[in-house]
Amino acid sequence: MIDHVHDLDALREATERLLSATEKLDDSALSRPSRLPGWSRGHVLAHLSRNADALVNVLQGRPMYADSETRDRDIERDAPRPQAGQLADLVASAARFVAAAAAPADWSRTVAMRNGVTDSASRIPFRRRIEVELHHVDLGVGYELEDLPDEFTAREIGFLAERFAGHSAVVPTDVADGTGRTWTTGGGAQSGPVVVRGTAPELLGWLSGRRDGSALTVEGGALPALPPL
């Protein structure tokens, strides 16, 4: 069961970790490449600020972004800003999201995301938490997948497994982290089934496209190739 109140509290903690890390970076550090191809650290922070505003739009019944071109243009515009501007924008946009989430609302309602995707309003705080936690890792400043709260990692594995469930390019796949937790994904491709085993951080890295899966073991076939998120 989704608990948006818990997720909002956890999001505040994740945001504080991100802000603390950003405070330690200087302008030169922000101009250096992030772990995301083609993006500097400034791009990552600009995306996080604009994503907060986009999710405010979602909560308030407006389109998440005007269009893909506007989303990309805004990130490119904001990426070169100095550290002080990036930090101020992160703080202000996070506050706007918190304010929007604090407004009385029907959390069971269905909301529209991008590209025709819909979801329960109650999952928007977790979606924002995903952005903050994983893009903090993408900054490459010492916060790794292994540092993520275990509760978050397990839920995000489940979220991604659900996203790939039934995908025509992914064979039936069971995912196991060695602690008794298992998830099922794929199932649309004619092969398998396979079982993928590894630590929760390594599984998350593979499912989210942040690691190549070389630390995982596979039974029943090759490691499935996952489509881009």
Side-chain angles (χ1 to χ4, degrees):
M1 183 175 179
I2 302 170
D3 183 349
H4 72 276
V5 175
H6 163 81
D7 287 334
L8 286 168
D9 287 340
L11 171 60
R12 291 186 186 96
E13 295 176 2
T15 301
E16 286 302 318
R17 287 192 292 271
L18 173 70
L19 293 175
S20 294
T22 304
E23 287 174 347
K24 298 173 185 176
L25 302 175
D26 58 20
D27 294 352
S28 176
L30 289 185
S31 69
R32 293 175 191 149
S34 73
R35 292 174 175 174
L36 296 178
W39 271 17
S40 68
R41 289 170 175 153
H43 283 88
V44 174
L45 296 182
H47 164 65
L48 281 167
S49 293
R50 300 290 67 77
N51 171 263
D53 288 336
L55 291 177
V56 169
N57 289 337
V58 169
L59 288 175
Q60 296 180 346
R62 296 186 295 274
M64 187 170 180
Y65 295 100
D67 50 55
S68 295
E69 291 75 17
T70 299
R71 171 187 177 273
D72 295 344
R73 185 169 60 248
D74 287 350
I75 293 171
E76 289 296 331
R77 177 197 67 205
D78 295 342
R81 294 177 301 181
Q83 187 264 8
Q86 295 281 16
L87 183 59
D89 196 9
L90 280 173
V91 170
S93 59
R96 288 191 291 270
F97 179 82
V98 169
D106 174 12
W107 285 97
S108 67
R109 72 191 187 280
T110 298
V111 294
M113 309 295 293
R114 296 177 65 202
N115 303 321
V117 174
T118 60
D119 204 349
S120 168
S122 62
R123 189 141 62 170
I124 298 305
F126 183 66
R127 283 182 174 270
R128 175 59 183 173
R129 187 181 173 195
I130 292 169
E131 296 287 329
V132 171
E133 291 283 28
L134 293 186
H135 286 317
H136 189 169
V137 173
D138 295 334
L139 288 174
V141 293
Y143 189 66
E144 304 295 343
L145 295 175
E146 286 76 11
D147 297 314
L148 295 169
D150 181 67
E151 169 264 345
F152 168 81
T153 299
R155 285 184 64 193
E156 177 61 353
I157 291 172
F159 184 82
L160 292 171
E162 178 183 333
R163 183 164 182 170
F164 294 126
H167 197 287
S168 61
V170 183
V171 302
T173 305
D174 289 332
V175 177
D177 73 350
T179 69
R181 296 183 298 198
T182 60
W183 302 264
T184 300
T185 193
Q190 295 299 313
S191 187
V194 300
V195 179
V196 179
R197 302 185 187 276
T199 65
E202 290 290 351
L203 291 170
L204 175 55
W206 168 60
L207 287 166
S208 66
R210 286 167 170 82
R211 292 188 183 172
D212 62 10
S214 59
L216 304 173
T217 60
V218 187
E219 302 167 9
L223 183 71
L226 299 176
L229 292 171

